[in-house]
């Protein structure tokens, strides 16, 4: 009788654990849709954003004095170097490191917000874009506790009739801020959001021993969930954190969903810079990829195979 009871208990425990295992998902392959050139000596891929038809990638030069923006048609990979409509050139001098991008439609017009990683009056830049041309229409100061602060990531969480609401990132710390919907200048006073626990995050069921050595990049936002890329040499992982609208303190990653690319093709560097999810739920990203030091020929736009966030 004792043996039978023990058997039933083990059977029930196994049944309870099965759904958890079945729900775990791990993605480690990707498809390249386009490669990104190095116009105006801008060889380092940075910010990334996904729209309904196109993905947008920023690249910068060695001292962040020039930045270019590429538009990639997600259906076929056609990539166009966008034009600075203010002066007819194909670069901008005011986007700093251009570390992250986010798109928004306001009153029927298309806009792109860019975090520069600078503090002060040009910590966030607003561009209006029409086709493959963009125009500078606004700059903003970001402040935290009264002091100017630089940010490395930006996404929009919602808009209403009066305001646009942002989620900003600096390292593994997130902040919340807002602007009047049509404001083209001003100060964004950010407040505390939450911090990420990356040390205990699991990728394919296991923690990463040296994850604190991984470099933070931009981030993606979709359906109250953020997708956070980190890179160490030729390895990039994406951690997933849910229910961020009500998050505070330190939050933990979703251990049942993870992404990792370990690249033997690009052993010197495989760096996911930014991520975004399209209307069909596909997870897109842009990269810096190097076969050896000094290689600048393989930066690209890609998506993970098999994943759908919808």
């Amino acid at each position: 009788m004792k043996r039978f009871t023990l058997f039933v208990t083990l059977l029930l425990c196994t049944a309870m654990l099965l759904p958890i295992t079945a729900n775990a998902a791990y993605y480690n392959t990707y498809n390249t849709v386009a490669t990104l050139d190095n116009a105006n000596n801008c060889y380092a891929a940075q910010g990334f954003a996904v729209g309904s038809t196109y993905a947008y990638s920023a690249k910068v030069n060695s001292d962040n004095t020039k930045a270019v923006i590429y538009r990639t048609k997600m259906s076929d990979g056609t990539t166009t170097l966008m034009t600075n409509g203010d002066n007819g050139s194909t670069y901008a001098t005011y986007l700093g490191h251009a570390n992250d991008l986010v798109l928004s439609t306001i009153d029927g017009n298309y806009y792109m917000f860019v975090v520069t990683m600078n503090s002060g009056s040009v910590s966030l830049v607003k561009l209006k874009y029409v086709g493959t041309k963009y125009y500078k229409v606004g700059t903003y100061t970001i402040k935290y506790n009264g002091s100017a602060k630089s940010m490395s990531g930006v996404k929009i969480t919602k808009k209403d009739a009066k305001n646009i609401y942002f989620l900003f990132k600096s390292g593994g710390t997130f902040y919340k801020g807002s602007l009047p919907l049509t404001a083209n200048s001003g100060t964004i006073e950010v407040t505390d959001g939450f911090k990420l626990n990356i040390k205990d995050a699991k990728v394919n069921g296991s923690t990463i021993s040296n994850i604190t050595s991984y470099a933070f990049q931009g981030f993606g936002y979709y359906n109250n969930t953020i997708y956070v890329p980190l890179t160490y040499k030729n390895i990039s992982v994406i951690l997933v954190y849910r229910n961020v609208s009500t998050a505070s303190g330190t939050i933990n990653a979703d251990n049942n969903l993870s992404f990792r690319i370990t690249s033997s093709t690009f052993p010197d560097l495989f760096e996911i810079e930014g991520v975004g999810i399209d209307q069909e739920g596909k997870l897109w990203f842009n990269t810096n990829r190097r076969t050896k030091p000094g290689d600048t020929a393989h930066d690209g736009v890609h998506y993970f195979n098999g994943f759908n966030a919808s």
Side-chain angles (χ1 to χ4, degrees), residues 9-310:
T9 302
L10 289 171
L11 187 64
L12 288 171
C13 290
T14 302
M16 291 173 67
L17 289 172
L18 279 175
I20 297 174
T21 304
N23 287 336
Y26 172 59
Y27 300 89
N28 67 342
T29 64
Y30 70 100
N31 186 59
T32 297
V33 173
T35 55
L36 302 173
D37 293 332
N38 303 310
N40 300 298
N41 293 317
C42 295
Y43 62 87
Q46 303 298 341
F48 182 72
V50 170
S52 58
T53 304
Y54 299 98
Y56 297 84
S57 303
K59 297 188 74 171
V60 299
N61 66 355
S62 60
D63 58 2
N64 298 326
T65 56
K66 290 183 179 180
V68 298
I69 302 173
Y70 291 96
R71 187 185 79 166
T72 299
K73 191 172 184 178
M74 293 183 289
S75 62
D76 63 13
T78 302
T79 297
T80 304
L81 176 63
M82 298 183 72
T83 300
N84 183 338
D86 294 322
N87 60 20
S89 71
T90 53
Y91 63 89
T93 59
Y94 46 77
L95 293 179
H97 199 63
N99 205 63
D100 205 6
L101 319 174
V102 65
L103 310 176
S104 183
T105 303
I106 303 172
D107 293 337
N109 295 308
Y110 297 100
Y111 296 94
M112 180 186 302
F113 293 88
V114 184
V115 285
T116 65
M117 289 191 71
N118 294 324
S119 60
S121 61
V122 193
S123 43
L124 181 70
V125 175
K126 181 181 181 181
L127 305 176
K128 179 181 179 180
Y129 62 98
V130 182
T132 59
K133 286 187 177 182
Y134 60 86
Y135 305 84
K136 181 182 177 184
V137 295
T139 61
Y140 312 87
T141 301
I142 300 172
K143 287 189 175 183
Y144 175 66
N145 287 338
S147 298
K149 186 169 181 62
S150 65
M151 296 292 179
S152 61
V154 61
K155 289 296 177 280
I156 293 170
T157 56
K158 65 178 181 178
K159 293 184 294 184
D160 57 30
K162 294 183 178 180
N163 296 300
I164 186 167
Y165 299 88
F166 294 96
L167 187 62
F168 292 102
K169 180 179 80 69
S170 176
T173 303
F174 286 73
Y175 303 86
K176 297 177 181 180
S178 64
L179 276 172
L181 192 62
T182 58
N184 290 332
S185 63
T187 297
I188 305 173
E189 296 279 357
V190 298
T191 59
D192 289 318
F194 50 87
K195 295 182 178 180
L196 304 182
N197 176 4
I198 64 164
K199 181 175 65 71
D200 299 313
K202 291 183 178 180
V203 176
N204 196 24
S206 301
T207 58
I208 299 173
S209 60
N210 68 329
I211 198 166
T212 55
S213 298
Y214 279 55
F216 280 103
Q217 310 297 344
F219 72 101
Y221 176 87
Y222 179 82
N223 195 25
N224 202 23
T225 298
I226 57 172
Y227 296 76
V228 183
L230 300 100
T231 295
Y232 181 77
K233 297 182 179 179
N234 67 327
I235 305 169
S236 278
V237 301
I238 296 178
L239 305 180
V240 181
Y241 295 82
R242 301 193 183 277
N243 303 314
V244 296
S245 63
T246 56
S248 61
T250 301
I251 65 174
N252 297 315
D254 181 347
N255 290 328
N256 292 319
L257 176 59
S258 59
F259 305 81
R260 172 167 46 204
I261 301 295
T262 302
S263 180
S264 59
T265 305
F266 301 98
D268 190 65
L269 184 69
F270 189 98
E271 182 180 39
I272 294 179
E273 280 289 340
V275 299
I277 292 180
D278 68 14
Q279 293 178 329
E280 297 177 352
K282 188 179 294 184
L283 180 58
W284 292 79
F285 60 97
N286 69 337
T287 57
N288 286 306
R289 301 185 297 177
R290 294 199 303 254
T291 58
K292 59 184 178 180
D295 174 17
T296 62
H298 299 97
D299 301 341
V301 176
H302 330 264
Y303 62 83
F304 275 94
N305 293 321
F307 175 72
N308 191 298
S310 300

